[in-house]
């Protein structure tokens, strides 16, 4: 007569833990690893969107890195919503799209495009795209401040990476990529264009 919920066991660190470890050692996360994560999480988001759900809280702490199967897994759908439902604002300031907190704004798959781009920006540069702090201060920066381009923060990144990230993090939903996987594939292609010596940045200092 008991009700219980069975979940898959995923053993490994979160992306947040991996980034903290590498940055504490003065190392960038390699471009190849970022490309793998963004492609796999992009596919997970597309699967959610296909059944009408929006995650709303994609962040490094909600991406598990499965050691056993060498894959990235998106977790924590506690604030997910069905598209069109009226619910309270939710998400993590600095990673969630600004419309997730603004009254009268509707959320869409493009909301999760922003939500995926923000942790990938952190993986590329070591920090969220518009910083962290008080909610309204972060939202104001998201809506009005120009993006600090990744290539200005990490040597070896190309203009193509800047362009992809700028589009995915646009404050206007309609200007972003139409799907999470479209953004993921664009970023993976842009990262492939990096010079070979820059792509192998295991020893590059922050």
């Amino acid at each position: 007569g008991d009700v219980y919920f069975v979940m898959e066991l995923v053993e490994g660190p979160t992306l947040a833990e991996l980034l903290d470890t590498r940055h504490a050692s003065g190392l960038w996360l390699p471009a190849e690893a970022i490309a793998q994560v963004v492609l796999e999480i992009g596919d997970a988001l597309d699967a959610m969107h296909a059944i009408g759900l929006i995650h709303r809280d994609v962040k490094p702490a909600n991406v598990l890195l499965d050691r056993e199967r060498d894959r990235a897994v998106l977790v924590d759908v506690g604030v997910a919503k069905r598209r069109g439902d009226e619910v309270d604002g939710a998400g993590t300031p600095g990673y969630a799209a600004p419309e997730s907190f603004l009254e009268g704004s509707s959320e869409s798959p493009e909301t999760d495009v922003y939500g995926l781009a923000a942790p990938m920006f952190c993986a590329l540069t070591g920090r969220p795209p518009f910083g962290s702090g008080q909610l309204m201060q972060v939202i104001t920066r998201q809506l009005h401040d120009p993006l600090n381009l990744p290539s200005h923060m990490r040597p070896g990144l190309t203009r193509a990476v800047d362009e992809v990230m700028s589009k995915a993090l646009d404050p206007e939903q309609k200007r972003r990529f139409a799907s999470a996987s479209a953004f993921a594939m664009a970023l993976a292609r842009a990262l492939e264009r990096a010079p070979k010596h820059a792509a192998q940045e295991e020893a590059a200092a922050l």
Side-chain angles (χ1 to χ4, degrees), residues 28-79:
W28 298 113
L29 188 64
E32 296 91 339
I34 296 171
Q36 178 181 349
V37 170
V38 74
L39 288 167
E40 291 173 345
I41 301 304
D43 283 347
L45 288 170
D46 276 4
M48 290 188 68
H49 299 157
I51 58 172
L53 296 177
I54 301 170
H55 189 283
R56 302 204 298 162
D57 198 22
V58 186
K59 59 184 177 181
N62 284 343
V63 175
L64 293 180
L65 304 174
D66 186 347
R67 292 195 194 99
E68 295 299 315
R69 299 188 183 182
D70 186 27
R71 59 176 180 156
V73 180
L74 180 63
V75 299
D76 193 354
V77 293
V79 298

Side-chain angles (χ1 to χ4, degrees), residues 63-146:
V63 175
L64 293 180
L65 304 174
D66 186 347
R67 292 195 194 99
E68 295 299 315
R69 299 188 183 182
D70 186 27
R71 59 176 180 156
V73 180
L74 180 63
V75 299
D76 193 354
V77 293
V79 298
K81 59 171 278 189
R82 191 164 295 281
R83 189 173 182 182
D85 285 357
E86 295 294 330
V87 297
D88 291 337
T92 302
Y95 293 107
E99 64 266 18
S100 291
F101 301 103
L102 297 176
E103 245 183 84
S105 296
S106 60
E107 294 167 297
S108 66
E110 289 85 350
T111 299
D112 281 340
V113 170
Y114 191 109
L116 177 57
M120 292 305 102
F121 187 99
C122 188
L124 286 166
T125 68
R127 64 195 69 179
F130 294 98
S132 55
Q134 294 296 318
L135 174 60
M136 291 314 299
Q137 292 176 350
V138 174
I139 292 174
T140 298
R141 292 195 295 266
Q142 288 175 315
L143 293 174
H144 302 295
D145 288 2

